[in-house]
Amino acid sequence: MDKRVRVRFAPSPTGGLHLGGMRTVLYNYLFAKKQDGDFIVRIEDTDQSRYVPGAEEYIFNCLKWAGLQPNESPLHGGDYGPYRQSERKEQYTQYAEQLVKQGQAYYAFDTPADLEKMRQDFKTEQNPSPQYDHGIRMKMRNSLTMNSDEAKRLIAEGAKFVIRIKMPEHETVTFKDLVRGEVSFDTSVVDDKVLLKADGMPTYHLAVVVDDYLMKISHAFRGEEWLPSAPVHVLLWKYLFGLDKMPQWAHLPLILGPNGKLSKRDGAKFGFPVFAMNWTDPKTNELTEGFKEKGFLPGAFINFLALLGWNDGTEQEIFTKEELIDKFSIERVHSGGAKFDYEKAKWFNHEWIRKTEVGSLKSEVRILLNETGLTGIENPMLEKVITLVKDRCTLLTDFYDQSWFFFKAPDNWDVDAVKPKWSEDKKDFFLSYIDKLSTISNWQLATLEESFKTLATEKNIKPGDLQLPFRIMLVGGKFGPPVFNIVELLGKDETINRIKKALAVF
RNA sequence: GGCCCGUUCGUCUAAGGGCUAGGACACCACCCUUUCACGGUGGUGAUACGAGUUCGAAUCUCGUACGGGCUACCA
């Protein structure tokens, strides 16, 4: 009896894909997978003036990176195409005309200047932004205020016109929202939205209803910013296809930045990404940072995004994608907006790096090191290094800071940290230690540490006083994993070389 | 201005009429560590306010305040 679950993500290709958009994708995806349904991506490109080249491809790249692949889309095909609204232009006109015939919509011939004049003329203190609504429409140039012959004549003459919905005056539209329960609106406070634009393209309002119908969408999830226009969509469903065919709605809470609505600016200002992947605006060349390039694992990204406004009722916080699919339910999504906390997002990533196996991290880390000029790294060495430092890395990009010295000798040293306590005795110790190291055949952590301590005792120096200089000789500064772990991985020749080189400077 | 949505530690949240309002991030302290981290243990910290219903309210109702969204031939 229940129809097949089909959900859609419907972005407009106008720029980067931010956290809110990605979370909408995620919830759609999880919901669909859980019910064994279809996840569809439909490109809402009805506004040619806002079209941005590359944005569509970028969106699909983000979905691919996050592992949220659609079943149907302009890229993946499907039985309900085309999946770009610009390619469906012809489909919408008939429905708009049908509404006019049914008396639920009308032609309007007002020019942009007319509309501007109306807004000025009717602007008052109480009503700073007058709407084209039931109170105003009889004062404008439309098929309601002229006789039908004149409207027909104007259209025949090629006059520019739009089709507007004729909102009823005092009806209450009520619908059930999966995250908020019942929501009602008085139709008299919503304006006569344009359905079909002068260029023949539909607006979002018409297109979303027609396409959701034609694509047999069963559940429609979108951002909370759509809630105020929901009554228009509900009415359109009622007039065109019947309320019984209408998808179930869920208006998702907004993701907020430190000062309200999350924006690109917040990212730049507070130093965190807001887009899934790097996005360069083709017009301004402005680069907005993405979570991928910042060093996030896709699993961690999805994980923290899912928890921004949803939880499974237990205290579990780390979820794999499979677990999320298994546990997700739209009813447990919060109705309140969530402020994005970058610190917590990083914590998720840290947890994910820790739990991800070395083998899965290898190629990412290799690419990262390559980009900084560290090439030709052998696999076994790379694996040992990752194992040693992964617990210290919050972001993938931390692997560089935590490990470059395994692949490249330092060329300057934190001498200020050494000099004040440096002495001939210590120099003598390291000279002897070089000899001792060259005789060691069992190059292992315990042996190395033991030999160091023994020699120090023989020379009457506290081993602790020697460890810091030793570390600085090897890596250049006061950082890195435990000293003898570094020595072990560096190997005999490299360790001796580094001591010699540093001794010349100290 | 109007309409709609929302409000539990600084942040994300649990508790759907009944234990001392629980967890996580962040922060602080201690432990571990002769670098820095990780880690471990503990701590500070919240039901916006005011009424009402009730034996009993974070939870239900109303009002107020505050926050957010919308108010385009953009989505």
Side-chain angles (χ1 to χ4, degrees):
Chain A
M1 195 177 92
D2 277 344
K3 57 180 175 178
R4 180 173 180 77
V5 167
R6 287 173 59 80
V7 299
R8 83 298 194 268
F9 173 60
S12 53
T14 54
L17 228 196
H18 58 79
L19 283 179
M22 281 306 290
R23 195 191 50 179
T24 304
V25 175
L26 215 212
Y27 287 179
N28 270 292
Y29 178 91
L30 296 176
F31 186 83
K33 294 300 151 192
K34 170 144 193 173
Q35 332 270 327
D36 205 18
D38 303 318
F39 171 49
I40 294 133
V41 171
R42 181 174 71 219
I43 300 295
E44 311 228 330
D45 56 351
T46 54
D47 185 2
Q48 291 115 327
S49 69
R50 294 216 311 163
Y51 175 77
V52 176
E56 182 181 319
E57 188 190 358
Y58 166 86
I59 288 167
F60 285 110
N61 286 341
C62 290
L63 299 192
K64 189 173 181 189
W65 171 67
L68 308 174
Q69 297 279 46
N71 301 91
E72 301 169 26
S73 84
L75 204 64
H76 304 81
D79 297 336
Y80 297 84
Y83 292 93
R84 267 184 215 100
Q85 289 183 332
S86 60
E87 295 166 13
R88 305 169 63 83
K89 189 173 172 182
E90 296 71 31
Q91 316 238 23
Y92 307 106
T93 316
Q94 53 165 313
Y95 293 105
E97 294 291 352
Q98 181 188 335
L99 288 166
V100 175
K101 276 193 201 89
Q102 292 172 186
Q104 291 146 338
Y106 57 91
Y107 302 107
F109 301 93
D110 316 277
T111 64
D114 292 339
L115 294 173
E116 183 51 31
K117 184 171 186 303
M118 177 276 281
R119 289 190 187 106
Q120 288 306 320
D121 290 352
F122 294 96
K123 189 171 169 180
T124 62
E125 194 118 311
Q126 283 75 34
N127 186 9
S129 45
Q131 303 191 97
Y132 201 122
D133 61 13
H134 64 93
I136 298 281
R137 66 175 162 239
M138 296 315 286
K139 296 168 179 146
M140 305 299 288
R141 286 188 74 226
N142 54 52
S143 58
L144 265 21
T145 58
M146 54 183 72
N147 63 52
S148 59
D149 288 347
E150 192 181 354
K152 275 181 197 142
R153 200 202 73 221
L154 281 171
I155 291 170
E157 284 171 0
K160 290 273 183 203
F161 70 94
V162 301
I163 294 180
R164 285 182 182 269
I165 185 171
K166 184 180 173 191
M167 288 301 283
E169 246 176 80
H170 285 295
E171 261 179 46
T172 300
V173 172
T174 302
F175 66 95
K176 188 181 161 233
D177 186 288
L178 260 15
V179 319
R180 292 155 213 277
E182 282 207 344
V183 185
S184 335
F185 293 84
D186 181 346
T187 53
S188 61
V189 300
V190 358
D191 61 329
D192 290 356
K193 298 264 183 236
V194 170
L195 265 20
L196 200 71
K197 299 187 266 190
D199 64 2
M201 278 287 195
T203 59
Y204 173 83
H205 308 293
L206 212 218
V208 72
V209 171
V210 170
D211 285 344
D212 282 352
Y213 170 72
L214 262 15
M215 294 181 182
K216 295 195 160 62
I217 299 303
S218 64
H219 301 260
F221 306 157
R222 64 206 330 187
E224 189 184 354
E225 70 270 24
W226 291 109
L227 205 42
S229 51
V232 176
H233 311 316
V234 173
L235 245 26
L236 253 20
W237 269 99
K238 184 175 159 190
Y239 297 158
L240 257 14
F241 311 117
L243 255 15
D244 54 321
K245 303 232 175 51
M246 186 171 73
Q248 292 213 255
W249 299 100
H251 290 88
L252 275 16
L254 266 10
I255 295 179
L256 309 168
N259 307 311
K261 197 183 177 185
L262 184 66
S263 69
K264 273 194 311 191
R265 292 271 155 260
D266 287 330
K269 190 170 168 190
F270 297 98
F272 57 74
V274 298
F275 288 161
M277 291 171 69
N278 276 4
W279 167 254
T280 304
D281 188 296
K283 284 199 190 80
T284 62
N285 251 345
E286 181 196 7
L287 171 77
T288 308
E289 219 174 14
F291 281 89
K292 174 179 186 275
E293 290 80 0
K294 191 76 179 179
F296 277 78
L297 254 16
F301 180 68
I302 285 177
N303 193 166
F304 84 68
L305 214 44
L307 274 280
L308 220 45
W310 172 86
N311 71 83
D312 75 339
T314 72
E315 281 170 3
Q316 182 176 353
E317 295 202 273
I318 303 297
F319 293 89
T320 62
K321 187 169 86 173
E322 289 66 33
E323 287 174 312
L324 288 172
I325 291 170
D326 185 42
K327 308 270 175 66
F328 184 76
S329 75
I330 193 75
E331 289 83 7
R332 282 198 67 92
V333 172
H334 260 252
S335 44
K339 209 174 276 187
F340 172 60
D341 181 2
Y342 187 46
E343 292 305 320
K344 183 110 188 204
K346 283 195 292 192
W347 173 79
F348 274 105
N349 205 56
H350 188 201
E351 293 296 311
W352 270 81
I353 287 179
R354 284 161 54 101
K355 80 176 203 112
T356 302
E357 285 174 31
V358 175
S360 316
L361 253 20
K362 216 164 51 185
S363 66
E364 295 285 345
V365 175
R366 180 182 294 283
I367 290 167
L368 216 117
L369 294 176
N370 278 176
E371 282 168 357
T372 64
L374 299 175
T375 53
I377 298 167
E378 311 239 336
N379 252 328
M381 180 63 173
L382 185 59
E383 282 173 19
K384 284 178 195 160
V385 168
I386 293 175
T387 306
L388 186 58
V389 305
K390 71 198 279 252
D391 282 4
R392 316 165 80 90
C393 295
T394 297
L395 299 169
L396 243 21
T397 47
D398 292 338
F399 273 101
Y400 175 79
D401 284 340
Q402 294 294 342
S403 71
W404 63 268
F405 42 82
F406 286 108
F407 312 110
K408 184 175 79 178
D411 47 18
N412 62 69
W413 297 265
D414 185 357
V415 282
D416 292 343
V418 180
K419 274 275 167 64
K421 292 180 182 167
W422 192 240
S423 67
E424 281 303 311
D425 286 354
K426 287 182 181 169
K427 186 170 182 176
D428 176 58
F429 166 86
F430 282 104
L431 256 12
S432 307
Y433 190 50
I434 291 173
D435 293 339
K436 190 159 184 179
L437 285 177
S438 55
T439 66
I440 290 180
S441 54
N442 183 19
W443 193 266
Q444 281 183 350
L445 188 60
T447 320
L448 294 164
E449 194 162 358
E450 184 53 39
S451 67
F452 186 89
K453 284 182 177 157
T454 309
L455 184 61
T457 312
E458 281 170 19
K459 298 270 179 189
N460 232 342
I461 308 177
K462 275 191 278 183
D465 292 344
L466 293 161
Q467 271 200 28
L468 187 65
F470 192 23
R471 163 180 299 282
I472 293 174
M473 286 172 176
L474 299 175
V475 307
K478 294 191 276 186
F479 49 78
V483 167
F484 296 100
N485 283 294
I486 300 174
V487 175
E488 187 186 25
L489 288 194
L490 243 26
K492 185 184 288 187
D493 293 346
E494 184 63 18
T495 302
I496 291 175
N497 282 343
R498 290 192 187 186
I499 297 175
K500 283 181 179 166
K501 208 170 154 194
L503 239 24
V505 179
F506 284 8

